[in-house]
Amino acid sequence: DVDVLVDTVAEMQGIRHFDLACNQLCQDAAVQLVTELTSRRIDVRSVRLNTNPIGDPVSFREAVAMCLASRGQSVMAGGEFTCHLGDDAVRWSAGDEPGQMARSLRDGDVDAPTLVSLRELRQGATSQLRRLEEYEQNDPEAQTPEGQRCLDEQRKLCQATLDSDLMQIYRQELNTKDKRATAGGEPNETVTS
C-alpha cells in the first residue's frame, strides 16, 4: 500500500535515497507515491523506480512533471527536482544561478553544451555505417582512392562513437535491463554493436 510506504518514509527523518526498483509498482501507484511525497513535502534525494511496470513512460513523465512543478511553487530558493526516465528527464529548480548548465541551456548560450541522448547517438552512428555501406556498393566514386579515404575516416568516427567508454556503459545498462525484463517475461532491446 502506497500510503503505508509514504507514512513510513515520513517517519524516517534521515532517509535520503528511496530504492523501489523491481517492486511491481504500476503507473498509478508510482504516480500516487510521487504525488504523496511532493504534496506532504517529504524531501528525499532520490526515488528509484526502474524495472517497475510503469506503463506509458510519456504519461508517467508528464504526471511526475506536474507533481514536481506543484511542489516547486512553494520553494523560494535552492533545491532541484529531477525525474530520470530512460533517456529522458524532467527537471525543475527554483532558480538557476548564472553560470549553471541549466541556465545556459535554457537561455541558449553559445557556450552551452549540446545534449544528445545516448540512444540517438548510437542509432545515428549505426545508421551512418549503413549509409556508408550503401554508398560504397552503389556509387562508383566510392571506389576511388579519395572515396575510400573518406569512407575509412567516416567509419572510424562512427566506430569510435560506438566503442567509446560511455557507449559501453550504456550498452551494459541496456543489456542488464533486457535480462531483467526477459526474466520477467517482457523482452527489451539487447544491444550488441
Side-chain angles (χ1 to χ4, degrees):
D1 186 40
V2 173
D3 291 328
V4 173
L5 209 52
V6 173
D7 289 340
T8 304
V9 172
E11 292 297 318
M12 300 174 73
Q13 302 272 329
I15 193 167
R16 294 291 169 248
H17 302 282
F18 195 27
D19 188 347
L20 292 172
C22 305
N23 276 286
Q24 298 303 311
L25 284 175
C26 67
Q27 181 170 343
D28 291 341
V31 169
Q32 181 186 357
L33 174 72
V34 173
T35 301
E36 288 294 317
L37 289 173
T38 56
S39 66
R40 291 173 58 177
R41 301 180 60 86
I42 300 170
D43 294 327
V44 293
R45 290 186 183 179
S46 67
V47 177
R48 188 172 170 202
L49 297 170
N50 57 314
T51 70
N52 284 290
I54 297 297
D56 178 28
V58 173
S59 65
F60 179 69
R61 186 176 61 233
E62 289 171 358
V64 168
M66 288 187 340
C67 291
L68 296 180
S70 176
R71 169 66 171 89
Q73 288 176 351
S74 63
V75 175
M76 300 304 289
E80 175 177 297
F81 303 116
T82 307
C83 171
H84 297 279
L85 189 61
D87 291 334
D88 295 322
V90 176
R91 181 179 179 274
W92 178 93
S93 94
D96 302 318
E97 298 294 323
Q100 285 185 330
M101 183 173 72
R103 178 173 260 183
S104 296
L105 292 170
R106 187 191 66 222
D107 295 345
D109 291 350
V110 177
D111 296 331
T114 302
L115 301 179
V116 178
S117 83
L118 293 176
R119 178 190 303 164
E120 290 174 3
L121 191 60
R122 179 180 52 85
Q123 289 172 343
T126 303
S127 295
Q128 180 67 4
L129 285 172
R130 270 190 249 116
R131 283 191 297 272
L132 292 171
E133 187 68 31
E134 288 175 16
Y135 171 71
E136 186 175 36
Q137 292 175 1
N138 299 324
D139 195 319
E141 282 189 36
Q143 304 308 319
T144 65
E146 180 61 25
Q148 286 297 306
R149 186 189 63 73
C150 181
L151 281 169
D152 288 343
E153 286 177 16
Q154 290 295 311
R155 284 186 178 127
K156 284 178 185 175
L157 285 172
C158 291
Q159 202 57 52
T161 299
L162 294 172
D163 293 340
S164 70
D165 290 343
L166 189 58
M167 198 58 68
Q168 297 300 322
I169 293 168
Y170 178 64
R171 186 174 299 124
Q172 287 174 349
E173 180 68 23
L174 288 177
N175 287 332
T176 301
K177 285 180 184 179
D178 183 56
K179 288 176 186 171
R180 286 182 189 148
T182 301
E186 298 176 22
N188 275 346
E189 168 186 22
T190 300
V191 180
T192 57
S193 61

